[in-house]
């Protein structure tokens, strides 16, 4: 964690997270300015954090990118540096966009056809002999199980059942 290393060099660190016992807040004691209690998706809390800092480091992709862009463009005496940049986080948040980005730069990745859950995709999956993994593009948490679906043919047409 960046905060633990920074504290060894007496760098003042302010943390945005929910609750006084959030993991990062347990590593770094509150100093002046104090930590911010809130979520990464709360624009007013992101602004409050930005008001207390010269550099924002984002160590999780589930943050409000629009709020980061807004605080980055606010006139202030010193430029607010944000790492990773809001544009990079925006790319990372959408796994399809991320794969397009990596593919366009020559990185070897698996095929990734776009997928929209609609009647056509249900019919296509119904003809498959295998389970179908429907992976979400956005708001995927590390270790979170994506929906594994089995499509059954019924008299009413294709029906998606979670397994």
């Amino acid at each position: 964690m960046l905060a633990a290393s920074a504290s060894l060099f007496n760098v003042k660190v302010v943390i945005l997270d929910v609750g006084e016992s959030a993991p990062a807040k347990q590593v770094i004691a509150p100093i002046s300015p104090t930590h911010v209690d809130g979520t990464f998706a709360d624009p007013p809390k992101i602004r409050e954090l930005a008001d207390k800092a010269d550099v924002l480091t984002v160590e999780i992709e589930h943050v409000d990118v629009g709020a980061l862009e807004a605080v980055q463009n606010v006139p202030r005496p010193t430029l607010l540096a944000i790492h990773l940049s809001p544009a990079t986080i925006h790319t990372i948040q959408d796994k399809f966009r991320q794969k397009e980005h990596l593919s366009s730069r020559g990185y070897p990745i698996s095929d990734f056809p776009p997928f929209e859950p609609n009647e056509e995709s249900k019919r296509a999956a119904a003809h498959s002999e295998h389970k179908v993994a429907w992976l979400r593009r956005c708001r995927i948490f590390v270790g979170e199980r994506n929906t594994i679906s089995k499509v059954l043919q019924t008299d009413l047409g294709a029906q998606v059942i979670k397994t």
Side-chain angles (χ1 to χ4, degrees), residues 72-84:
Q72 189 174 41
N73 296 323
V74 170
R76 47 187 284 155
T78 59
L79 178 67
L80 176 66
I82 301 177
H83 303 286
L84 303 169

Side-chain angles (χ1 to χ4, degrees), residues 120-149:
E120 181 181 348
S121 61
K122 289 178 184 178
R123 281 193 300 276
H127 289 68
S128 173
E129 297 176 15
H130 306 285
K131 288 184 176 181
V132 177
W134 293 4
L135 305 178
R136 292 181 294 167
R137 290 176 62 165
C138 300
R139 298 289 181 209
I140 300 170
F141 295 92
V142 174
E144 182 182 37
R145 181 173 176 241
N146 282 289
T147 301
I148 304 296
S149 301

Side-chain angles (χ1 to χ4, degrees), residues 56-70:
L56 295 182
T57 60
V58 181
E59 298 183 14
I60 186 168
E61 69 190 68
H62 306 291
V63 63
D64 186 317
V65 172
L68 289 176
E69 291 170 336

Side-chain angles (χ1 to χ4, degrees), residues 81-163:
I82 301 177
H83 303 286
L84 303 169
S85 74
T88 298
I89 295 169
H90 183 67
T91 299
I92 292 169
Q93 285 178 335
D94 183 326
K95 297 308 172 196
F96 184 75
R97 185 181 299 119
Q98 183 178 7
K99 282 189 159 229
E100 286 181 317
H101 175 83
L102 294 171
S103 177
S104 71
R105 282 149 180 83
Y107 289 94
I109 57 173
S110 61
D111 289 338
F112 57 97
F115 173 80
E116 295 297 331
N118 56 33
E119 291 306 313
E120 181 181 348
S121 61
K122 289 178 184 178
R123 281 193 300 276
H127 289 68
S128 173
E129 297 176 15
H130 306 285
K131 288 184 176 181
V132 177
W134 293 4
L135 305 178
R136 292 181 294 167
R137 290 176 62 165
C138 300
R139 298 289 181 209
I140 300 170
F141 295 92
V142 174
E144 182 182 37
R145 181 173 176 241
N146 282 289
T147 301
I148 304 296
S149 301
K150 183 170 38 176
V151 180
L152 301 177
Q153 193 66 36
T154 68
D155 292 340
L156 301 173
Q159 179 181 0
V160 177
I161 296 179
K162 292 183 180 181
T163 60

